[in-house]
Structures are given as structure tokens and as C-alpha cells.
Amino acid sequence: MIVNTERTFAAGTNAPWLIGNARLTDLSGQLLGAHVAHAGLIMFWAGTTTVIETLRYTPGVPLYEQGMILLPHLATLGWGVGAGGEIVDTYPYFVIGMLHLVASAVLGAGGLFHVFRSPPILYTAGGQAAKFHYEWNDSKQLGLILGHHLIILGLGAFLLVLKAMYFGGIYDAALGNVRIVNSPTLDPQVIFGYLVGIKNGSRTLLGMASVDNLEDIIGGHIWIGCILIAGGVWHILVKPFAAVRKIMPIESGDEILSYSLLGLALMAFISTVFVGYNTIAFPIEFYDSDRLGLANSQFFLGVLAFLGFIWHRTRATQN
């Protein structure tokens, strides 16, 4: 296959490797392998970082003073935490890190399999694998793949719900201890009010980041989990409407990637506000009260993703 590097970073250079996964644009099997391998790298980073932070953890010193990156998130989920946010058991952190390392090995093996043993194009594999072959102008097939992604994200949201309600609970900064969330908020007026900046009948510029109790947080995850799963089923069964395809054309990999990066940028900007102002989702005990650096990091990643959206959207319109 001849790969055109004219509109890539490799244009006019002797380094075609700069085109990255663009060389796999029309090879659905190998592109899947690259994605699985990337997931393995992410898992490997999470596992190694968690294990390293666990091994160098110093009892009695706040996590933020030790420069921890991942342990604060695990502590917020209620793992190994006692009254006042004190870390009383680091063994769960070690186990979680090792599970991520095992998962990274499995994903890495899957990536290698799809690169070296699986057919480069899924359609030629036959069977169930052929169902996930795609063409960039086949909106029905791309909708099916998107639907499966959404369902997995919805199940991920419910994992937090299960942890909060049935498996040990999560840390409540207002209480200063881990607790079970027995009665999550399901009132749509309350949950969706956050989206338009309404909390307790009053306007707030913080929007979703103004949430100040675990009931609303877990209730919001129940809602978003249901919406994601329902949306996934919808996209699997229903071809995108023509009017939607006019607003968001689906004709190339660059267009798909640009939409993904735009969504990633939106999530980064939302998390920036949460990190900066919300002490329920990001308790002071684990993240400190001065979190400007952490918020700036989230904002920078959001800007980077947004620039990626512009870059790939521009490429898509030029092709």
C-alpha cells in the first residue's frame, strides 16, 4: 500500500515514520492492533506508576506532598482509607497496580496478534471479526463500532456506582471517612440542572463542578451510564440520519479522529473546573487546597486536544 504523506508531519522529510497510524488508515485489522497496543501502554503506565508510588509511599505524609499522581485517585475511591483521609492500608494499591500490569500484558499480546498474525483487513478474516471491518464512508458500520464503545463506557460508569453502593463505598470529604452511598439522586431535574448551571434553584457558573455531595455524583453516573448504554444500542441498530451526517460528515479517518479529540478536549476543560474548585470529587486531604498546577495541566491537555481537533478537521476538509 502506498501512503500519501503530503498532509502529514512527514511531508517533505525523509522520516515517513512521522505519519504514525496514518499508514494503517485502510488496514482495519492492523489499526485495531495499534489501538489495542496503545491501550496496553496506557495500562502499563498506570500499573507501573501505581506500584512505584505504593513502594515509595511514606506514612503520615499527605499524598500531595509526596508528589503522588495515581494514589490520590485510588484513595478517593475509598481504597485503603480510614477516618480523616488517613491511608491505613497500601496493599489494595499494590494489587490494583499488578492487575493493571497483567492487563497490559494481555492487551500487548492482543496488539501483537493483530499486527503479526491477524489479517491486515478484518473483512478477510471472516466470522465475527469481519463484522467489525469498516470503511470510512460506511456510516452504518462506523455507528456499530461507536455503539460498542459507548456501551463499554456506560459499563465503566456503573463500576463506580457499584463501588459506591455495594463494594465498600467511596471517600466522603464532607464526612471525612469512607461510606456507602445508599440513596443516589435520580431526580432528573436535579441531575440535569447541573448541566445548565442550576443548583438548588440558583444559577452557578461552576455548572457540574458545583456538586457538593456524593448522592448527586453517583446519581449522575447512573444517569450517564444509562444514557451511554442506550446511545450505544441506538448506534448499533440505527444508521446515522442524513441531517446529522451533513452537520458532522463521516467520510474519513481524520473526521472521526477530530470528533474524538473535540470530545476529549471538552472533558479536559470540564475536569479543569472540577480539579480547581470541587473538593468532593477531589478531596483536599488527597489533592491539597492549592491545585493550580494540577488544574493547569488539565487545561493544557484540553488545549492540546482542541488543537488536534482543528488539525485533523482541517486535513479532512482538504482531502
Side-chain angles (χ1 to χ4, degrees):
M1 175 178 292
I2 298 176
V3 178
N4 182 9
T5 64
E6 180 182 352
R7 292 193 177 93
T8 71
F9 285 115
T13 74
N14 293 320
W17 58 269
L18 284 172
I19 63 176
N21 286 342
R23 71 183 70 220
L24 308 177
T25 297
D26 298 315
L27 302 175
S28 57
Q30 292 200 353
L31 187 59
L32 173 60
H35 278 68
V36 174
H38 288 165
L41 288 174
I42 295 171
M43 281 285 188
F44 183 77
W45 173 84
T48 53
T49 303
T50 300
V51 171
I52 290 172
E53 289 186 356
T54 302
L55 293 176
R56 69 181 184 86
Y57 169 72
T58 302
V61 180
L63 294 174
Y64 53 83
E65 290 186 6
Q66 300 184 54
M68 301 297 187
I69 300 174
L70 298 182
L71 293 196
H73 293 283
L74 297 179
T76 303
L77 291 174
W79 298 107
V81 180
E86 179 184 1
I87 307 299
V88 296
D89 185 9
T90 59
Y91 182 68
Y93 304 152
F94 179 77
V95 172
I96 290 171
M98 293 306 298
L99 288 175
H100 278 76
L101 288 176
V102 172
S104 75
V106 174
L107 289 167
L112 292 173
F113 172 81
H114 281 287
V115 170
F116 294 109
R117 297 296 299 273
S118 179
I121 299 176
L122 291 175
Y123 181 78
T124 62
Q128 291 294 321
K131 294 182 179 180
F132 290 90
H133 174 70
Y134 57 84
E135 300 292 341
W136 295 115
N137 59 356
D138 185 351
S139 57
K140 178 80 168 64
Q141 183 66 8
L142 293 176
L144 180 141
I145 296 173
L146 171 61
H148 284 80
H149 281 72
L150 292 175
I151 290 175
I152 293 173
L153 287 173
L155 294 175
F158 276 113
L159 286 178
L160 175 63
V161 175
L162 292 174
K163 176 66 173 69
M165 296 184 66
Y166 302 107
F167 298 105
I170 56 179
Y171 184 76
D172 188 347
L175 180 64
N177 209 338
V178 177
R179 72 175 178 92
I180 296 288
V181 180
N182 293 311
S183 303
T185 303
L186 298 179
D187 185 348
Q189 186 174 355
V190 174
I191 298 301
F192 293 100
Y194 286 110
L195 293 178
V196 293
I198 298 178
K199 181 178 180 296
N200 297 329
S202 302
R203 288 282 181 181
T204 172
L205 294 177
L206 294 179
M208 288 185 288
S210 65
V211 62
D212 59 2
N213 63 86
L214 292 183
E215 279 69 22
D216 287 1
I217 290 178
I218 301 306
H221 278 79
I222 293 175
W223 270 100
I224 196 63
C226 291
I227 291 172
L228 285 168
I229 292 174
V233 173
W234 169 270
H235 281 288
I236 289 173
L237 299 177
V238 180
K239 180 179 180 179
F241 298 143
V244 175
R245 295 200 301 273
K246 288 182 179 179
I247 299 173
M248 300 177 66
I250 308 173
E251 299 293 339
S252 70
D254 278 297
E255 285 172 335
I256 302 295
L257 181 55
S258 71
Y259 302 145
S260 299
L261 288 168
L262 181 60
L264 186 61
L266 176 61
M267 295 301 103
F269 293 142
I270 292 174
S271 68
T272 297
V273 183
F274 266 93
V275 170
Y277 297 99
N278 191 284
T279 57
I280 295 295
F282 293 88
I284 293 175
E285 295 88 332
F286 309 133
Y287 296 93
D288 198 8
S289 58
D290 182 10
R291 295 175 287 191
L292 180 61
L294 183 58
N296 284 341
S297 298
Q298 296 290 313
F299 183 75
F300 171 77
L301 291 174
V303 171
L304 189 63
F306 187 74
L307 291 175
F309 157 72
I310 295 175
W311 167 266
H312 286 283
R313 192 75 189 95
T314 302
R315 282 193 61 194
T317 57
Q318 290 176 349
N319 288 335

